[in-house]
């Protein structure tokens, strides 16, 4: 990974756009007719700090853990990690060893820089994302995610991102070769 910040920052902006859609998909996985997919795949459901009446999910992953909540999703270790913070519409490098509290986003707890340091801590999350989507595909087939995509597109204020199969390829490209990855809007037509 070179030190070119500009292309990487554009890719992280694309990732943030995609995360809005993906978090909707994960919400569908929680209410799946065959049961909560996260609980079936090793996540612990916990009450949320901050917002009442919501839950968060945590699973050990690559010397840290995946943290999923309606307001944020990411990967965290004892030295920080990365989160997509939905109310901020940003992917950030988290500088604290405890996860965000929904509704509280103190700027001293994260870095907004879209750089190689963020890329390094984003890779374990991207690994999990791809593994989860492979499991969804195995369990429910491509039609399930396509249905999620159609439901997301029908929401009044939603900006649909890449179709599920194309999104998986784009996220793989971000993880494996970001220096060669086109912006998502061009990838959809090129990929």
């Amino acid at each position: 990974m070179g030190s070119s910040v500009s292309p990487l920052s554009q890719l992280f902006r694309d990732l943030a756009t995609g995360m809005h859609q993906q978090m909707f998909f994960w919400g569908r996985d929680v209410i799946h007719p065959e049961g909560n997919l996260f609980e079936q795949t090793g996540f612990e459901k916990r009450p949320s700090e901050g917002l009442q009446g919501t839950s968060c999910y945590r699973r050990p992953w690559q010397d840290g853990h995946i943290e999923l909540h309606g307001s944020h999703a990411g990967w965290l270790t004892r030295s920080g990690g990365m989160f997509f913070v939905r109310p901020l519409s940003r992917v950030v490098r988290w500088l604290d060893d405890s996860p965000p509290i929904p509704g509280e986003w103190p700027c001293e707890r994260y870095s907004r820089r879209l750089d190689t340091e963020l890329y390094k801590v984003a890779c374990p999350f991207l690994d999990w994302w791809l593994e989860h989507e492979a499991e969804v595909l195995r369990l429910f087939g491509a039609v399930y995610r396509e249905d999620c995509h159609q439901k997301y597109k029908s929401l009044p204020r939603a900006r649909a991102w890449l179709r599920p199969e194309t999104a998986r390829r784009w996220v793989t490209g971000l993880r494996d070769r970001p220096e060669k990855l086109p912006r998502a809007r061009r990838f959809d037509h090129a990929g």
Side-chain angles (χ1 to χ4, degrees), residues 100-114:
I101 296 173
E104 299 177 21
W105 318 108
C107 58
E108 66 274 5
R109 293 184 73 195
Y110 63 89
S111 169
R112 290 177 164 242
R113 293 189 60 179
L114 304 174

Side-chain angles (χ1 to χ4, degrees), residues 26 38 43-44 46 56-62 64-69 73-77 82-83 122-129:
W26 293 333
F38 294 114
F43 278 82
E44 170 194 2
R46 302 175 308 116
C56 60
Y57 295 89
R58 179 179 286 175
R59 175 183 172 192
W61 184 259
Q62 293 186 15
H65 62 270
I66 299 294
E67 178 97 10
L68 302 175
H69 191 285
W75 177 75
L76 187 65
T77 69
M82 79 56 68
F83 280 96
C123 283
F125 181 75
L126 300 177
D127 289 342
W128 170 80
W129 179 347

Side-chain angles (χ1 to χ4, degrees), residues 4-191:
S4 177
V5 173
S6 180
L8 201 52
S9 68
Q10 293 173 346
L11 296 175
F12 276 116
R13 286 186 189 102
D14 287 352
L15 179 64
T17 301
M19 285 295 298
H20 283 282
Q21 175 176 290
Q22 192 63 38
M23 288 182 73
F24 175 83
F25 291 178
W26 293 333
R28 305 298 302 171
D29 296 347
V30 169
I31 60 170
H32 194 278
E34 293 182 25
N36 183 325
L37 187 56
F38 294 114
E39 290 180 325
Q40 292 176 32
T41 57
F43 278 82
E44 170 194 2
K45 182 178 178 180
R46 302 175 308 116
S48 170
E49 294 184 40
L51 299 175
Q52 298 302 312
T54 61
S55 297
C56 60
Y57 295 89
R58 179 179 286 175
R59 175 183 172 192
W61 184 259
Q62 293 186 15
D63 298 323
H65 62 270
I66 299 294
E67 178 97 10
L68 302 175
H69 191 285
S71 67
H72 59 268
W75 177 75
L76 187 65
T77 69
R78 283 181 257 166
S79 59
M82 79 56 68
F83 280 96
F84 168 71
V85 181
R86 186 160 51 181
L88 302 177
S89 291
R90 292 190 71 98
V91 177
V92 299
R93 186 164 55 94
W94 198 250
L95 305 174
D96 203 318
D97 64 348
S98 55
I101 296 173
E104 299 177 21
W105 318 108
C107 58
E108 66 274 5
R109 293 184 73 195
Y110 63 89
S111 169
R112 290 177 164 242
R113 293 189 60 179
L114 304 174
D115 57 12
T116 55
E117 292 304 310
L118 176 60
Y119 172 76
K120 289 175 192 173
V121 294
C123 283
F125 181 75
L126 300 177
D127 289 342
W128 170 80
W129 179 347
L130 293 167
E131 181 178 284
H132 177 78
E133 290 305 301
E135 183 69 1
V136 167
L137 187 61
R138 185 186 70 75
L139 290 172
F140 307 119
V143 172
Y144 169 67
R145 266 302 182 249
E146 284 296 329
D147 182 58
C148 291
H149 190 251
Q150 289 303 315
K151 283 181 171 63
Y152 185 73
K153 283 172 58 171
S154 72
L155 295 175
R157 294 186 182 166
R159 284 183 46 210
W161 195 53
L162 302 172
R163 292 183 62 195
E165 195 280 325
T166 305
R168 285 190 301 275
R169 288 188 293 112
W170 189 89
V171 170
T172 300
L174 179 59
R175 181 196 63 191
D176 295 346
R177 53 190 185 288
E179 68 282 353
K180 295 188 183 298
L181 184 66
R183 299 287 309 269
R185 67 180 176 269
R186 289 194 298 268
F187 187 83
D188 195 17
H189 300 294

